[in-house]
Amino acid sequence: MRKEETSMKIGVLGTGTVGMTISTKLAALGHQVTMGARESRNEKAAEWARKAGGKAGHGDFPRAASDAEIVFNCTSGGGAVAAVTAAGKESLKGKILIDLANPLDFSAGTPPRLLFHGEDSLGERIQNALPDTKVVKTLNTIAADVMVNPGLVPGEHDLPMCGNDAAAKARVTLLLREWFGWKSVIDLGPITASRGMEVYVLFWVHLMGALKTPVFNIHVQRKGA
Ligand SMILES: NC(=O)c1ccc[n+]([C@@H]2O[C@H](COP(=O)([O-])OP(=O)(O)OC[C@H]3O[C@@H](n4cnc5c(N)ncnc54)[C@H](OP(=O)(O)O)[C@@H]3O)[C@@H](O)[C@H]2O)c1
């Protein structure tokens, strides 16, 4: 297995719980992380960069994407297409964008609804908005703490992934193992599989309510495994 270079330039679009969790973990691993927000002076991003120290930076979405070798989309489902478009079609050209956002609508409270579903998904909308970017959808089906620390959930469990570019998915699979410790990734195929991955999140919300914890995941038992 190829060991990735020890320090990569990584852009993280998003200043919420997920953006903070991903950025903090990657910065702790020694990567040069730039957190992006709508405004270059976003106070949460500035404070995160101050606390993270070292090579951590912050700025607007274009700044976070421009220098990055790989970019995470950790923005709200309703804002994600605007966020990645603002980040820049040109600067994201040819790059891997890991999309972990869900198109959730909390306007009528909890449980949320999906903003859109059926023959549509956020993963596809992002891929359509960025045709020259390799969008890999993954990590959207688990809580933020579990994304960067799958060992919080005991036993074997699986992470779904999809995207149109096989090499990009293979690289992200290696990175998820190396950075966060993910041992089992299930490739669901092209980006259209986002439809199922995003709808699953409604079920996840009900599971969380029943289990009274967000720290869980699924494991798929297979015949002959
Ligand atoms: N929370 C979890 O454990 C979890 C688990 C799995 C997946 N997810 C998904 O991960 C994503 C991030 O979740 P979160 O809870 O960390 O944060 P969030 O509150 O859903 O999103 C915050 C980010 O979205 C940006 N944003 C909001 N409206 C926007 C708009 N109209 N245009 C452009 N950007 C906009 C914000 O920009 P500013 O920084 O400028 O305010 C901020 O950076 C969501 O899609 C969520 O469904 C969350």
Side-chain angles (χ1 to χ4, degrees), residues 5-91:
E5 48 270 66
T6 45
S7 179
M8 287 175 67
K9 290 181 181 170
I10 300 169
V12 175
L13 312 178
T15 59
T17 307
V18 178
M20 293 285 165
T21 304
I22 295 278
S23 299
T24 300
K25 176 68 181 181
L26 292 172
L29 290 173
H31 298 293
Q32 187 174 328
V33 180
T34 304
M35 181 182 283
R38 281 171 285 191
E39 303 293 331
S40 59
R41 294 179 176 207
N42 181 290
E43 197 35 55
K44 284 168 77 181
E47 194 189 338
W48 173 80
R50 262 196 309 275
K51 280 191 183 155
K55 296 179 270 184
H58 71 98
D60 56 13
F61 291 136
R63 161 108 202 277
S66 61
D67 259 5
E69 295 159 63
I70 195 158
V71 177
F72 281 84
N73 172 39
C74 311
T75 60
S76 70
V81 173
V84 301
T85 306
K89 230 179 183 172
E90 269 309 303
S91 68

Side-chain angles (χ1 to χ4, degrees), residues 93-112:
K93 195 173 184 172
K95 292 181 185 172
I96 293 174
L97 177 85
I98 301 176
D99 171 39
L100 47 72
N102 287 307
L104 298 181
D105 172 10
F106 287 95
S107 62
T110 304

